[in-house]
Amino acid sequence: MTSKLEWLLVAESLFAGAYIALTRGLFLIFLVAVGQDVKGISFVILLSSLLSAIIGLMLYKQPNFLVRKVKQKLCITHFLERVTWFFIPLTSNLLIVSLLYSLCIIFSSFISTFLTFTIYGLLPEESIKKVTSRRTAAGNISSIIGFALGTFLLAFLQTNGKFIYIFYLGALIGILSTISVLFIDLSRLEGAKIPAGVKEPEKIFSTSMFFVIFLFAGNLLAIVWTPFLIVKLNSPE
C-alpha cells in the first residue's frame, strides 16, 4: 500500500516537472531574446555551474548540515527557488540575470540533496524503487506537458513581456510542488547518522563522470544551437 509520504514525493515531482519545463527549460531562449550571444550565455551557465559545484563541495565537507532543521531548510530553499523566477524576466542585465539564475541552481542543488536524503533516509528499499520510478514517470509526463504549453505560449503571446507570463506561470506551478513538501514529516531525519564512507567508490566515480560528460555535451549544444536558430536563422522565439 502506498504511504502518504510516497504520494507527496510523487506529487512534488509531478508539479516540479512542469515548473522546470516552463522556467529553466526556456531560460536559454529568454537569454537570446534579451540580446545575449554565445559568450553571454556561456558566462551565465559557467557562473551557475561553478557556484553549484562549490555548494556540492561544501556539503561533502560538512555533511552534518543535512541533518539539522531538515524540514525548514528543504521548504525554504524549495520556495525561494520558485520565487526567484518572478524576478529573472524583469531585467536584461547580464550580471543580475546571472546572479539570479545562479541562486536558482544553488537552491536546486540543496533541494535535490534534501529530497534524495528524504527518500533514502525514510523509505525501505522496495519503496525507494517504487517512489523513484513513479517520481520519474510523473516528472517526465508533466515536463512534456510543460514544454508543450511553453511552446504554445511562445508562439501565441505577441507581447514583449511574454517571458514574464511564462516564468510567472511556471513559478506558480512550482509553488504547488512546494506545498506538497510542506506536508512531509521529516522529523525522523533530524540528527541522522551520516555514513563515514561508501563502498566501491570507483563505480560511483565512473557513473558520475558519465553524467558530467553527458550533461556537458547537452549544455554545450544548447548554448550554441539556441542562439544560432534565433539569431542566424531568424527562427521565432
Side-chain angles (χ1 to χ4, degrees), residues 184-225:
I184 298 177
D185 181 10
L186 301 178
S187 58
R188 284 192 291 149
L189 294 178
E190 291 294 326
K193 185 178 179 181
I194 302 294
V198 296
K199 297 179 181 179
E200 300 181 301
E202 65 280 359
K203 291 185 178 181
I204 297 177
F205 177 78
S206 299
T207 304
S208 299
M209 282 302 298
F210 168 77
F211 278 110
V212 167
I213 295 172
F214 177 77
L215 292 173
F216 173 78
N219 286 332
L220 183 61
L221 176 62
I223 288 171
V224 176
W225 184 243

Side-chain angles (χ1 to χ4, degrees), residues 31-208:
L31 289 177
V32 177
V34 296
Q36 299 302 329
D37 56 10
V38 173
K39 290 182 180 179
I41 295 173
S42 299
F43 174 76
V44 175
I45 302 301
L46 178 62
L47 179 61
S48 61
S49 300
L50 179 61
L51 292 177
S52 179
I54 293 173
I55 293 299
L57 180 61
M58 290 172 57
L59 290 176
Y60 176 77
K61 294 293 185 180
Q62 299 292 334
N64 289 330
F65 174 83
L66 299 173
V67 296
R68 298 193 299 268
K69 298 182 179 180
V70 182
K71 179 71 172 283
Q72 294 92 321
K73 291 174 182 176
L74 174 58
C75 291
I76 290 172
T77 54
H78 210 283
F79 179 71
L80 288 179
E81 184 195 353
R82 275 75 177 155
V83 169
T84 305
W85 285 102
F86 286 109
F87 299 97
I88 288 178
L90 300 180
T91 180
S92 59
N93 182 279
L94 179 62
L95 181 59
I96 296 176
V97 170
S98 299
L99 291 175
L100 288 173
Y101 184 70
S102 296
L103 276 178
C104 283
I105 298 302
I106 290 172
F107 292 142
S108 179
S109 299
F110 282 118
I111 292 166
S112 298
T113 303
F114 281 120
L115 286 176
T116 301
F117 184 37
T118 298
I119 293 171
Y120 285 88
L122 295 180
L123 296 173
E125 184 175 352
E126 286 303 315
S127 294
I128 290 173
K129 295 177 181 178
K130 183 169 61 175
V131 166
T132 302
S133 62
R134 289 180 176 177
R135 277 176 56 83
T136 301
N140 288 340
I141 291 172
S142 65
S143 179
I144 292 172
I145 296 173
F147 275 118
L149 178 59
T151 302
F152 173 82
L153 293 174
L154 283 175
F156 289 95
L157 287 177
Q158 300 301 323
T159 63
N160 293 329
K162 66 174 71 176
F163 283 99
I164 293 178
Y165 297 110
I166 295 172
F167 286 172
Y168 279 24
L169 175 60
L172 289 173
I173 294 175
I175 290 175
L176 294 177
S177 179
T178 303
I179 292 174
S180 301
V181 172
L182 291 174
F183 292 98
I184 298 177
D185 181 10
L186 301 178
S187 58
R188 284 192 291 149
L189 294 178
E190 291 294 326
K193 185 178 179 181
I194 302 294
V198 296
K199 297 179 181 179
E200 300 181 301
E202 65 280 359
K203 291 185 178 181
I204 297 177
F205 177 78
S206 299
T207 304
S208 299

